[in-house]
Amino acid sequence: MPIKTDQLNNRLTTINQFSKNEVGQNRLVYSPNWVKGQKQLISWGNQAEMTITVDTYGTVYLDVIGSQSPDIIIATGSHMDTVAHGGPYDGLYGVIGGLQAILNLVRTFDQPKKTLRLISFSEEEGSRFPATFSGSKHYARIQNVTGIKDQSGIAFDTARQKAVSKLKEAADEMGLPNIPSTFTELHIEQGPRLIESHCQIGLVTSIVGQRRFTVTVNGIANHAGTTPMTDRLDALQIAIVLISHLKAIAAEISPQLTFTVGECHVWPNTSNVIPGKVIFSIDTRHVSDTTLNLFENRLRDEAQKASNSPVSITVNRWVADHPTQLDNGMLTRNKQLANNLGISYQTLASGAGHDSEIMSKVTKTTMIFVPSIDGISHAPQENTSDTDLHTGVKLLQESLREQAY
Amino acid sequence: MPIKTDQLNNRLTTINQFSKNEVGQNRLVYSPNWVKGQKQLISWGNQAEMTITVDTYGTVYLDVIGSQSPDIIIATGSHMDTVAHGGPYDGLYGVIGGLQAILNLVRTFDQPKKTLRLISFSEEEGSRFPATFSGSKHYARIQNVTGIKDQSGIAFDTARQKAVSKLKEAADEMGLPNIPSTFTELHIEQGPRLIESHCQIGLVTSIVGQRRFTVTVNGIANHAGTTPMTDRLDALQIAIVLISHLKAIAAEISPQLTFTVGECHVWPNTSNVIPGKVIFSIDTRHVSDTTLNLFENRLRDEAQKASNSPVSITVNRWVADHPTQLDNGMLTRNKQLANNLGISYQTLASGAGHDSEIMSKVTKTTMIFVPSIDGISHAPQENTSDTDLHTGVKLLQESLREQAY
């Protein structure tokens, strides 16, 4: 099963070059570059004589109909959209790599017994509109988007209808295809674990749950020169003690529990005034809801303990996503296939959300990760070696072959 | 020596009411309210037949010429300007209280042997133009202001000339009077020490020196979900460890060393991104330069220790004001006078800068503090009880009497 390596790279390059005069990739959902990307994909599907469906959200489905069980669908894919100033592989690698795997199989073995489907989801990142996974949620019949606008005030539905109308011409039909029997998503890791362990492949066990909190510390602002150290109710110093303590608690609960204070605002934020108020964020993720509960309880306890009138500390949780377990049978099968192919791998949990999180609610789902150089993602520097890109496609191809032929 | 208490309050109220439809006091230097304040003071000086001089910076000098040694000048006073949204006593209390003390003395004992001078400095706060103490620095022949503008682009000289021209009509003469033999400044404490110790008066030993630093921590921004805790170069967590450590070091060096991180900026300041860069301020004050040196050396050591490529920490010092020792003889004399009058007092260092810092460079200088309720200053809530306001004037009056009669 030779992989035409030039095609994988050429196709990635073709779509990434739509943003060539910009900083990084900017295929925000329904943008001109996004329309160009999906149209290009449809054009390749047409060339390969695949059956092309586009749904009303702009997700593109390229099918090779099975000869014996056409209604049993073995699907792969990822999302076409990127974050603003994103990299060349997040989402697109799973789309182009999936197409490549299917075309290699058809070229080598002709028509499959079951239907092979490549899915290019419209949107996953939530970077233009305040909604994430809108493509896979629509396909999985889980949730539709209503009444939201982007930062320039354009309604989701207006942008969607305008962009999707441009895809209609090229598609064979409009509609929402059936749910597949399995879904495999090929993706870059977006973290440093595979690079550091010199593994070619990551086989994903689960996608972490995450909780995000906003913590508000109210102290009392005062003069930095005339207020003795013992008389201060310095909101920043109180926040610092609390953050240090919570970081240690998170580490004690589990080394795999991530704890990030990404945002911090200080009032009045003047060098010669003791801070009267601090608001900071906590982002915490783990594969187990029990662990996330443990942390949240400790957070609330510690905040209450540190609240002594007139100092007050409030905790507001605004994200609570449950962990997602991916399919264990598919994982086990992929381990065997990797062993057969002589590919080094490790199992790992995904720290980022993916379309697979949504697909796993309606079908057997698994993910294959390839290494991210320096662990960088969501940035123009996002990179993966050619060899690793091809190894990912090779394993996916073998999995699809085993399932569909 | 009865004090006509109604006059003290009435005069403070008269000038504070120029801002009556505003939030707090807004007598920024050379503003319409500031002009009204200095003109009102000149008018009271005229009523009391004092000799009135205005200098080219708009500082007002009200003299009661001495009968025996008119060239020996015993001065008191403070500044007419306030911060934006300031309180009713910072600066103005020393001006009106000083006037009250002199007028009480003249009413009771007639003409003094030496000249008594009330000084209302044009500017101390640095709240309109990027220059502080411009009034006392000009009078003390230490520094003149050149080439600065306020935030709306008005040049210091333009604002100065326009405002001072409105004072000229009322003044007896324009000019820069001689340096006095002594200067006593009556002021609110702006901190909580006197209120907490139930002392009526604070006798100021010195004005703290202060150093201000900007510390920049460069780490590496990364994905909050996919970057393991052990792989992070989180600039905020590095800053937090450094700040906690420096706060402990400051306390260890001296409990009187104030340590304030008033300003903190985080990049990119997004809940799901590990901070790549943090800039924070340090404001540190103490009566001894040796102590400030000790702290600065430790700060630089600790920053260097925590800088491990690719993490870098830089320290930039942008304020280095030396501590100011006030006159010990005048302090001792004021202690005796307070004892004689049955006034409770404590000696303390001033944590804020004052015109006395400048005056002490050219003449014997002392300060008398009265308690600030809740230690609040530079805010509309700034307050001192009537009794304490009058006690401050009583002690100042006794000191001026002893020196000038």
Side-chain angles (χ1 to χ4, degrees):
Chain A
M1 286 174 292
I3 294 177
K4 280 199 148 185
T5 61
D6 48 318
Q7 273 195 332
L8 178 66
N9 272 317
N10 287 346
R11 288 188 169 135
L12 286 164
T13 304
T14 299
I15 291 183
N16 282 322
Q17 278 192 345
F18 295 143
S19 300
K20 72 180 167 193
N21 295 320
E22 304 168 21
V23 177
Q25 293 302 315
N26 297 282
R27 276 194 311 282
L28 274 68
V29 68
Y30 308 141
S31 68
N33 283 346
W34 177 93
V35 171
K36 284 185 199 168
Q38 292 290 58
K39 280 184 90 163
Q40 180 61 63
L41 187 70
I42 290 170
S43 153
W44 287 324
N46 270 321
Q47 283 168 28
E49 301 184 344
M50 298 168 92
T51 302
I52 298 159
T53 310
V54 175
D55 72 22
T56 55
Y57 274 53
T59 292
V60 172
Y61 307 84
L62 305 184
D63 288 0
V64 180
I65 307 295
S67 57
Q68 290 182 12
S69 309
D71 294 340
I72 301 180
I73 299 150
I74 307 301
T76 186
S78 190
H79 55 96
M80 180 54 72
D81 73 317
T82 68
V83 297
H85 312 303
Y89 300 114
D90 181 0
L92 190 64
Y93 170 57
V95 174
I96 301 300
L99 177 67
Q100 195 63 40
I102 292 172
L103 295 183
N104 287 342
L105 287 172
V106 174
R107 195 182 302 120
T108 313
F109 303 107
D110 213 342
Q111 194 183 7
K113 292 178 184 160
K114 299 172 190 163
T115 294
L116 280 169
R117 172 171 296 165
L118 184 275
I119 307 177
S120 175
F121 288 114
S122 53
E123 184 277 323
E124 184 255 17
E125 298 286 3
S127 289
R128 178 173 175 186
F129 297 95
T132 52
F133 310 110
S134 60
S136 50
K137 281 181 178 170
H138 176 68
Y139 178 42
R141 285 79 167 164
I142 285 175
Q143 196 181 39
N144 284 323
V145 169
T146 50
I148 56 173
K149 293 180 175 180
D150 70 7
Q151 285 199 328
S152 62
I154 299 170
F156 182 87
D157 275 340
T158 309
R160 178 179 68 75
Q161 285 163 10
K162 193 174 161 195
V164 174
S165 72
K166 294 179 185 160
L167 302 181
K168 276 186 186 170
E169 317 147 13
D172 292 323
E173 58 184 307
M174 293 296 295
L176 196 61
N178 288 339
I179 300 295
S181 296
T182 69
F183 179 70
T184 302
E185 186 174 5
L186 184 62
H187 207 282
I188 55 168
E189 182 201 345
Q190 306 182 273
R193 289 167 295 177
L194 296 175
I195 279 286
E196 286 176 2
S197 63
H198 303 288
C199 274
Q200 296 167 280
I201 288 290
L203 297 173
V204 181
T205 53
S206 56
I207 297 171
V208 297
Q210 62 175 284
R211 300 195 190 178
R212 293 194 209 167
F213 306 89
T214 298
V215 182
T216 304
V217 180
N218 284 294
I220 291 184
N222 218 329
H223 194 298
T226 58
T227 314
M229 293 306 285
T230 48
D231 273 311
R232 297 177 175 214
L233 299 169
D234 182 326
L236 184 59
Q237 294 299 334
I238 294 165
I240 282 176
V241 170
L242 184 60
I243 292 169
S244 304
H245 201 40
L246 291 170
K247 185 167 179 264
I249 286 170
E252 176 198 307
I253 291 175
S254 163
Q256 278 74 46
L257 178 66
T258 59
F259 170 85
T260 308
V261 176
E263 215 174 333
C264 184
H265 304 269
V266 177
W267 283 269
N269 219 20
T270 302
S271 66
N272 61 350
V273 179
I274 297 164
K277 181 173 165 181
V278 170
I279 294 183
F280 64 89
S281 65
I282 297 176
D283 174 310
T284 183
R285 309 189 191 197
H286 195 266
V287 291
S288 148
D289 251 340
T290 311
T291 303
L292 292 171
N293 280 339
L294 257 175
F295 177 80
E296 180 170 346
N297 292 340
R298 292 294 300 274
L299 162 60
R300 293 187 187 278
D301 282 357
E302 294 300 327
Q304 200 171 10
K305 269 195 251 169
S307 287
N308 288 310
S309 176
V311 171
S312 73
I313 302 178
T314 56
V315 175
N316 175 39
R317 191 185 71 191
W318 55 281
V319 169
D321 288 348
H322 295 293
T324 301
Q325 197 62 37
L326 298 185
D327 188 74
N328 203 41
M330 293 185 80
L331 174 71
T332 304
R333 204 57 216 133
N334 280 342
K335 286 184 191 175
Q336 290 167 341
L337 296 176
N339 283 333
N340 296 348
L341 294 169
I343 294 170
S344 63
Y345 68 86
Q346 68 175 92
T347 57
L348 37 64
S350 170
H354 293 291
D355 288 312
S356 288
E357 199 175 319
I358 308 305
M359 292 304 289
S360 73
K361 297 181 200 295
V362 292
T363 191
K364 289 179 180 174
T365 298
T366 197
M367 290 194 80
I368 297 170
F369 276 176
V370 295
S372 291
I373 293 172
D374 295 333
I376 296 170
S377 184
H378 283 192
Q381 297 78 25
E382 183 180 87
N383 202 4
T384 297
S385 76
D386 278 0
T387 310
D388 287 336
L389 289 174
H390 293 124
T391 303
V393 173
K394 193 167 154 191
L395 180 59
L396 171 66
Q397 186 175 319
E398 189 58 9
S399 166
L400 296 178
R401 187 194 61 74
E402 192 181 55
Q403 294 182 73
Y405 283 86
Chain B
M1 284 174 292
I3 293 175
K4 278 198 154 188
T5 59
D6 49 319
Q7 272 195 334
L8 177 66
N9 271 317
N10 287 346
R11 285 183 171 140
L12 285 163
T13 303
T14 298
I15 290 183
N16 282 322
Q17 278 191 345
F18 294 145
S19 300
K20 72 180 165 187
N21 295 321
E22 303 169 21
V23 177
Q25 295 300 315
N26 297 283
R27 277 194 311 280
L28 274 69
V29 67
Y30 307 142
S31 67
N33 283 347
W34 177 93
V35 170
K36 284 184 197 167
Q38 292 290 58
K39 280 185 90 164
Q40 180 60 63
L41 186 72
I42 290 170
S43 152
W44 286 324
N46 269 321
Q47 282 167 29
E49 300 184 343
M50 297 169 92
T51 302
I52 297 157
T53 309
V54 175
D55 72 22
T56 55
Y57 273 54
T59 293
V60 172
Y61 307 83
L62 305 183
D63 287 359
V64 179
I65 306 297
S67 57
Q68 289 183 13
S69 310
D71 293 342
I72 301 181
I73 298 151
I74 307 303
T76 186
S78 191
H79 56 96
M80 179 55 73
D81 74 318
T82 67
V83 296
H85 312 303
Y89 300 116
D90 182 1
L92 190 65
Y93 171 57
V95 174
I96 301 300
L99 177 65
Q100 195 63 39
I102 291 173
L103 295 184
N104 286 342
L105 287 171
V106 173
R107 193 183 302 122
T108 313
F109 303 108
D110 213 344
Q111 194 182 9
K113 290 179 184 161
K114 299 171 189 166
T115 293
L116 280 169
R117 172 171 296 166
L118 184 275
I119 306 177
S120 175
F121 287 115
S122 53
E123 185 278 322
E124 184 256 17
E125 298 286 2
S127 289
R128 178 172 175 186
F129 296 97
T132 52
F133 310 109
S134 61
S136 50
K137 281 180 178 169
H138 176 69
Y139 178 41
R141 286 78 168 165
I142 283 175
Q143 197 180 38
N144 284 323
V145 169
T146 49
I148 56 172
K149 293 180 176 180
D150 69 8
Q151 285 198 327
S152 62
I154 300 170
F156 182 88
D157 275 342
T158 308
R160 178 179 69 76
Q161 285 163 12
K162 192 174 160 195
V164 175
S165 71
K166 292 178 185 160
L167 303 180
K168 274 186 185 170
E169 317 146 12
D172 293 326
E173 59 183 308
M174 294 295 296
L176 196 60
N178 287 340
I179 301 294
S181 296
T182 70
F183 178 71
T184 302
E185 185 173 7
L186 184 63
H187 207 282
I188 55 169
E189 182 200 344
Q190 304 183 273
R193 289 168 295 179
L194 296 177
I195 279 285
E196 286 175 3
S197 63
H198 303 288
C199 274
Q200 296 168 280
I201 288 291
L203 297 174
V204 181
T205 53
S206 54
I207 297 172
V208 296
Q210 63 174 285
R211 301 195 189 177
R212 292 195 209 169
F213 306 88
T214 297
V215 181
T216 304
V217 179
N218 284 295
I220 291 184
N222 217 330
H223 195 296
T226 59
T227 315
M229 294 306 287
T230 48
D231 272 311
R232 297 177 174 213
L233 298 168
D234 182 327
L236 183 58
Q237 294 299 334
I238 294 165
I240 281 175
V241 170
L242 184 60
I243 292 170
S244 304
H245 201 39
L246 291 170
K247 184 166 179 266
I249 287 171
E252 175 198 308
I253 290 174
S254 162
Q256 279 73 46
L257 178 64
T258 60
F259 170 85
T260 308
V261 176
E263 216 174 332
C264 184
H265 303 269
V266 176
W267 283 268
N269 218 23
T270 302
S271 65
N272 61 348
V273 180
I274 298 165
K277 181 173 166 181
V278 170
I279 295 184
F280 65 89
S281 64
I282 297 176
D283 174 310
T284 184
R285 309 188 190 198
H286 195 267
V287 292
S288 148
D289 251 341
T290 310
T291 303
L292 292 171
N293 280 339
L294 256 175
F295 177 80
E296 181 168 345
N297 292 339
R298 292 292 300 275
L299 162 61
R300 294 187 185 280
D301 281 358
E302 295 299 326
Q304 201 170 11
K305 267 194 252 170
S307 287
N308 288 309
S309 177
V311 171
S312 73
I313 302 178
T314 56
V315 176
N316 174 40
R317 191 184 71 192
W318 55 281
V319 170
D321 288 347
H322 296 292
T324 301
Q325 197 62 38
L326 298 185
D327 188 73
N328 204 41
M330 292 185 82
L331 175 71
T332 304
R333 203 56 214 130
N334 280 342
K335 285 184 192 177
Q336 289 167 342
L337 294 176
N339 284 334
N340 296 347
L341 294 168
I343 294 170
S344 62
Y345 68 87
Q346 69 176 92
T347 58
L348 37 64
S350 170
H354 292 289
D355 288 312
S356 289
E357 199 175 317
I358 309 304
M359 292 303 290
S360 73
K361 297 180 197 299
V362 293
T363 191
K364 287 179 182 176
T365 298
T366 198
M367 287 193 84
I368 298 170
F369 276 175
V370 294
S372 290
I373 294 172
D374 294 332
I376 296 169
S377 184
H378 282 193
Q381 297 77 23
E382 183 180 88
N383 201 5
T384 297
S385 74
D386 277 1
T387 310
D388 287 337
L389 289 173
H390 293 124
T391 303
V393 172
K394 193 167 153 191
L395 179 61
L396 172 66
Q397 187 176 317
E398 189 59 11
S399 166
L400 296 178
R401 187 195 62 72
E402 191 181 57
Q403 293 181 73
Y405 283 85

